[in-house]
Amino acid sequence: MKRFFFLVLIFQNAFSQEIPLNVQKLIKAYPDQIVGYKDNKIIFSDKSNLIYDDFKNKTNQELLDNPDIEDQFKFVYKRADKNLIPKEDAGRIRNEAFFKKIYGNSKSEVESKMTEIIWCPKLVNQKIKVTTVNGIDKIVKKLSAELDNNPEFKKYITGIGGTFSWRKISGTNRLSMHSYGMTIDINVKNSNYWQWDCKCKNEEATLSYRNQIPFKLVSIFEKYGFIWGGNWKHYDTMHFEYRPELLL
């Protein structure tokens, strides 16, 4: 019996070594959609697949405009730290085909998987819509419940800027992550956004980092699998999106 389990362990280790670490993170983060990896392809539960790595060298702009799935891990996401001014855009690189496979290919398909919940019933009591994919609605309820016990955050979490909105990112042809119902913008008045501050949409503009969001609040979001736009060089401090693979 011991020999049997030893052989199983060897097999499991060999299997895990064949799958790139970041693909393993994707499989763990999206277990209902991603079922495997073979021949440089992510395999989905409907038996379709997407190329993982196109093996192309890209400029920063090309990473934003035409990334493969592997490029999404180009920069390591670092949890919120008051002593850290972000120099990169970890999490801002997204392969649109990948997220459409996870959440839906169209506005109507995404909407068909949405549900309405009450955001922070005690402090805010606001109705919001979020996706049910991967149980994100349940995760947001838990996040909401914890925030509800922190009245010092009320001004940041009251009148949130939005969740679901099928649209392009301003100044780009890239689909906003709000299109998938897994993103939350908190209060706009207490936030900073690079385009507002530089009064431009030029990705190459020189930026001076600004932020008003408490890091304790950010750490609560991160606890539930949400990365923070304030951790980007092109900062968007109101913005949180569900990207657990970057926090594993």
Side-chain angles (χ1 to χ4, degrees):
M1 185 62 70
K2 289 183 179 179
R3 178 177 172 78
F4 170 77
F5 284 114
F6 179 69
L7 291 173
V8 168
L9 182 61
I10 291 175
F11 175 78
Q12 289 175 335
N13 288 338
F15 177 74
S16 65
Q17 289 170 8
E18 292 175 2
I19 300 178
L21 176 60
N22 289 331
V23 175
Q24 294 179 47
K25 292 179 180 180
L26 290 172
I27 292 171
K28 185 175 182 179
Y30 307 103
D32 294 337
Q33 289 80 28
I34 303 175
V35 298
Y37 170 85
K38 185 178 181 181
D39 299 331
N40 191 37
K41 294 177 182 177
I42 302 288
I43 303 170
F44 293 88
S45 57
D46 62 1
K47 298 183 181 179
S48 63
N49 61 73
L50 289 173
I51 295 293
Y52 173 62
D53 190 352
D54 61 16
F55 300 104
K56 295 179 180 178
N57 291 321
K58 299 168 187 173
T59 64
N60 286 338
Q61 193 61 49
E62 288 170 339
L63 285 169
L64 291 170
D65 292 337
N66 191 32
D68 58 28
I69 298 172
E70 189 268 343
D71 289 331
Q72 294 177 166
F73 296 91
K74 174 72 175 179
F75 304 116
V76 176
Y77 181 84
K78 299 174 183 176
R79 292 175 184 266
D81 182 344
K82 65 182 180 180
N83 298 313
L84 181 67
I85 296 178
K87 303 295 184 183
E88 299 168 337
D89 284 328
R92 196 163 170 259
I93 298 168
R94 304 121 166 167
N95 179 277
E96 191 170 300
F98 174 82
F99 290 102
K100 284 184 174 180
K101 283 295 301 182
I102 300 293
Y103 296 103
N105 280 295
S106 65
K107 179 181 179 181
S108 60
E109 188 177 349
V110 173
E111 284 184 313
S112 71
K113 303 172 185 177
M114 303 276 285
T115 191
E116 187 174 82
I117 67 171
I118 302 299
W119 172 253
C120 297
K122 292 187 296 184
L123 294 177
V124 182
N125 195 36
Q126 180 179 348
K127 293 180 180 179
I128 64 172
K129 287 187 175 182
V130 294
T131 185
T132 59
V133 173
N134 285 314
I136 292 175
D137 58 320
K138 296 179 179 65
I139 293 169
V140 173
K141 285 181 181 179
K142 291 178 182 178
L143 163 66
S144 169
E146 183 160 347
L147 291 173
D148 226 5
N149 290 321
N150 289 271
E152 69 272 25
F153 297 149
K154 184 174 181 178
K155 73 174 185 177
Y156 302 102
I157 59 177
T158 300
I160 62 174
T163 54
F164 172 68
S165 177
W166 186 275
R167 59 177 173 79
K168 296 289 181 70
I169 298 171
S170 177
T172 79
N173 288 316
R174 305 193 299 270
L175 198 62
S176 167
M177 295 301 277
H178 285 280
S179 302
Y180 306 118
M182 41 69 91
T183 300
I184 298 172
D185 278 356
I186 59 175
N187 187 276
V188 174
K189 293 180 180 179
N190 294 288
S191 304
N192 294 89
Y193 180 45
W194 72 273
Q195 289 190 11
W196 299 343
D197 291 341
C198 77
K199 297 179 174 59
C200 70
K201 296 180 181 181
N202 177 15
E203 301 272 2
E204 302 300 324
T206 300
L207 305 173
S208 296
Y209 182 78
R210 297 179 184 178
N211 172 52
Q212 304 171 60
I213 308 300
F215 286 92
K216 181 182 175 182
L217 188 158
V218 175
S219 68
I220 294 174
F221 271 89
E222 290 177 337
K223 174 182 174 180
Y224 291 97
F226 288 81
I227 64 168
W228 179 45
N231 269 356
W232 300 335
K233 175 182 177 182
H234 293 83
Y235 55 89
D236 184 355
T237 68
M238 75 195 85
H239 181 89
F240 294 87
E241 65 183 73
Y242 186 73
R243 300 287 297 283
E245 69 275 19
L246 299 182
L247 291 161
L248 293 174

